[in-house]
Amino acid sequence: MTYRYSRIVGTGSILPPRIVTNQQLVAELGSRGIETSDEWIVERTGIRQRHIADEGVTSSRLATEAGRRALDAARLDPSDIDLIIVATSTPDFVFPSTACLVQKELGAAGGAAFDVQAVCTGFVYAFSVADSMIRSGLAHRALVVGAEVFSRILDWNDRGTCVLFGDGAGAVVLAGSDEPGLLAAKLHADGRHESILRTAGNVCHGEITGHPYLTMDGQAVFKLAVSVLDSVARETLAEAHLPIEAVDWMIPHQANVRILNATARRLHIPLSRVVVTVDSHANTSAASIPLALDQAVRDGRIRAGHNVLMEGVGGGFTWGAVLVRF
């Protein structure tokens, strides 16, 4: 059976219980002679704390729990799922995929399972792929997860990057429907900008080659992110034949509050209609959008009939947006 549309029927998320506040991080960095302050972090990023996974807690473990919660919300069993896509830049292994590990833990064997690597845009990419597979008849119900343990690839001696990121996972269940769900989607990439945000390491002959930590040109990322988030939002709304005023909620990738604010101003969307979690979650890469989505669904802000614009931007350089009706 093929469907004209897919719809979100459940959301879920998980954050590691260990919270590291700015004050705690500043004290730890200070003990190693690295100067920063809570005021400096908040002013430049809006971040006040982040969740950090304990040793042994992997992306697949977080993804599995977020997936279980999304399935519970959808009132579905793992056996009802015939597609699992995990967006992550911090997989457990080189292979098999994190999605296959999640499938194993959930007990949902048999359907397709694979990872998507588009860094912070990963969830938007994965969501669009799952929607297309449902519409084509290749799947009927999909679990789409964004999961990261970015704390494992941070240089904790680099104050310009280590203060920015956190760990977590968020998930949605998509099901085939005759009612519109995903109204429009646009995906882009420009590899010419690959050097401004990357982790350029690898494993070769049993040794790490290249640079194993995240590096970023913050100013270049900021300028490009604000520009493409504005353009892809307008492009997606035009595809759906809807005005900006039709957006009930915008959920941008939670990278930096200055990027969120600048994007909202450009689009003339009131900040009261922007879901913001970067202050408490920090940047969780592919997990940031589904984490924010689940929070807004569970606290009652996002309700049936609302149009939600979700947009991401990340290393690659990648960017994209999906417009979803709940």
Side-chain angles (χ1 to χ4, degrees):
M1 180 178 180
T2 58
Y3 296 93
R4 293 184 61 196
Y5 308 103
S6 74
R7 293 184 66 87
I8 295 175
V9 296
T11 67
S13 63
I14 181 71
L15 290 159
R18 181 159 66 101
I19 295 173
V20 178
T21 66
N22 285 350
Q23 291 87 347
Q24 291 170 315
L25 185 55
V26 166
E28 172 61 27
L29 293 174
S31 69
R32 289 186 266 125
I34 303 167
E35 291 188 8
T36 188
S37 68
D38 174 52
E39 293 76 16
W40 185 89
I41 298 170
V42 172
E43 179 183 349
R44 286 162 177 76
T45 71
I47 297 168
R48 298 183 181 276
Q49 65 176 44
R50 69 284 295 145
H51 292 251
I52 301 296
D54 291 335
E55 289 300 320
V57 175
T58 62
S59 289
S60 71
R61 183 169 164 183
L62 293 173
T64 299
E65 183 55 35
R68 283 198 181 102
R69 295 181 182 190
L71 287 166
D72 287 345
R75 295 186 175 88
L76 293 173
D77 293 323
S79 60
D80 296 319
I81 298 297
D82 54 9
L83 171 64
I84 298 175
I85 307 178
V86 175
T88 184
S89 297
T90 53
D92 294 23
F93 307 131
V94 173
F95 68 85
S97 70
T98 306
C100 282
L101 301 178
V102 171
Q103 187 193 64
K104 171 188 173 184
E105 291 302 314
L106 289 176
F114 57 90
D115 289 356
V116 166
Q117 220 292 37
V119 199
C120 304
T121 321
F123 179 77
V124 171
Y125 269 54
F127 191 103
S128 301
V129 170
D131 171 76
S132 297
M133 290 182 69
I134 289 173
R135 291 193 190 204
S136 71
L138 284 173
H140 301 295
R141 296 186 184 94
L143 177 64
V144 182
V145 188
E148 304 283 14
V149 283
F150 251 55
S151 59
R152 309 283 163 77
I153 59 171
L154 298 178
D155 180 353
W156 290 96
N157 292 311
D158 177 8
R159 75 165 187 170
T161 57
C162 73
V163 302
L164 302 177
F165 295 90
D167 303 331
V172 301
V173 176
L174 290 178
S177 174
D178 293 324
E179 296 294 324
L182 191 151
L183 305 180
K186 290 293 178 180
L187 305 176
H188 297 285
D190 188 343
R192 292 174 297 178
H193 300 289
E194 59 86 17
S195 64
I196 65 175
L197 177 58
R198 62 181 179 176
T199 302
N202 207 335
V203 177
C204 182
H205 301 301
E207 296 181 356
I208 295 174
T209 62
H211 189 70
Y213 297 121
L214 180 148
T215 60
M216 180 176 68
D217 180 340
Q219 188 173 22
V221 169
F222 180 89
K223 290 180 179 179
L224 191 56
V226 171
S227 173
V228 300
L229 287 174
D230 173 57
S231 63
V232 78
R234 297 178 187 276
E235 185 183 11
T236 304
L237 286 163
E239 178 75 13
H241 304 291
L242 288 173
I244 290 174
E245 293 75 20
V247 175
D248 295 293
W249 293 99
M250 182 173 74
I251 306 180
H253 167 53
Q254 306 288 313
N256 180 309
V257 73
R258 292 187 300 150
I259 294 175
L260 272 66
N261 291 344
T263 302
R265 283 196 303 271
R266 284 191 173 207
L267 293 170
H268 303 291
I269 293 177
L271 290 177
S272 60
R273 289 198 276 133
V274 179
V275 179
V276 178
T277 58
V278 68
D279 56 331
S280 56
H281 297 175
N283 183 346
T284 55
S285 190
S288 78
I289 292 173
L291 273 166
L293 173 65
D294 184 51
Q295 180 170 304
V297 168
R298 290 177 184 266
D299 67 22
R301 278 178 287 176
I302 294 177
R303 302 187 299 275
H306 281 178
N307 294 324
V308 180
L309 178 67
M310 297 180 279
E311 51 179 356
V313 57
F317 208 75
T318 64
W319 65 97
V322 292
L323 181 65
V324 175
R325 179 167 295 156
F326 271 74

